[in-house]
Amino acid sequence: RRVHGAFSPFPLTMAEQTEKSFQKQPNVFMNKKAVLLSAKGKKNLRYVRSVGLGFKTPRDAKEGSYLDKNCPFTGNVSIRGRILTGVIAKMKMQRTIVVRRDYLHYVKKYQRFEKRHTNMSVHLSPAFRDVLPGDIVTIGECRPLSKTVR
């Protein structure tokens, strides 16, 4: 439980530890000696990378304190394959959203198109905080993260 106010037992800059095991970034060594640190305090020990493809790394990924191994900016997931777009339908899971993709299917017998849609479960990095249902999102394909999140 998090305590707000001046008498908080934990610093507010510490990453939220919500799992039973200690969460950390595997590429960052956290036990550097005090001599190696700057006089102002600790350096920002955070692994951040660019995913390429013309996408900028969000400021929350660089300066934030979240830990997410499935984040393409701070975790161990590479974006490869297709780049898709869709509309956010639901946001009821933790770090996962449902995206609705609409498309047209041609029926040869009637020489017309019919509307169809498909729902995709997509991982939402904590770097993107201001998304709401109904927003248009761009999705990068990666390896399967779970049974339904691909």
Side-chain angles (χ1 to χ4, degrees):
R1 202 166 131 174
R2 192 164 159 176
V3 180
H4 296 284
F7 300 107
S8 174
F10 302 109
L12 294 176
T13 58
M14 184 176 138
E16 297 283 339
Q17 294 289 335
T18 57
E19 306 295 328
K20 287 187 177 180
S21 61
F22 181 71
Q23 302 293 308
K24 70 179 195 71
Q25 289 185 310
N27 304 2
V28 176
F29 183 66
M30 300 175 71
N31 295 327
K32 291 196 183 226
K33 304 295 182 216
V35 176
L36 300 176
L37 297 175
S38 64
K40 297 175 185 174
K42 277 194 169 184
K43 290 182 187 175
N44 189 8
L45 301 174
R46 187 154 179 83
Y47 171 74
V48 180
R49 66 186 176 127
S50 172
V51 297
L53 303 168
F55 294 105
K56 290 183 180 178
T57 304
R59 188 182 322 128
D60 283 348
K62 296 176 188 172
E63 301 170 1
S65 61
Y66 70 90
L67 295 168
D68 186 12
K69 63 181 182 179
N70 293 328
C71 175
F73 305 106
T74 62
N76 188 21
V77 172
S78 62
I79 302 297
R80 84 287 191 279
R82 296 184 174 190
I83 305 295
L84 308 169
T85 58
V87 178
I88 297 179
K90 301 174 196 170
M91 292 185 66
K92 296 186 177 181
M93 293 177 273
Q94 291 182 356
R95 295 188 180 179
T96 305
I97 58 174
V98 176
V99 175
R100 179 185 171 114
R101 300 195 62 232
D102 294 318
Y103 60 96
L104 296 174
H105 176 253
Y106 184 70
V107 182
K108 195 192 298 187
K109 178 179 178 181
Y110 298 111
Q111 299 179 0
R112 281 167 174 73
F113 291 94
E114 64 181 3
K115 282 187 179 178
R116 289 189 178 183
H117 81 275
T118 183
N119 286 339
M120 296 176 62
S121 293
V122 177
H123 181 77
L124 178 66
S125 171
F128 305 110
R129 293 187 295 174
D130 54 348
V131 294
L132 296 169
D135 290 351
I136 298 174
V137 292
T138 302
I139 307 159
E141 185 184 7
C142 66
R143 63 177 170 80
L145 301 178
S146 69
K147 179 182 173 182
T148 57
V149 180
R150 304 196 175 278

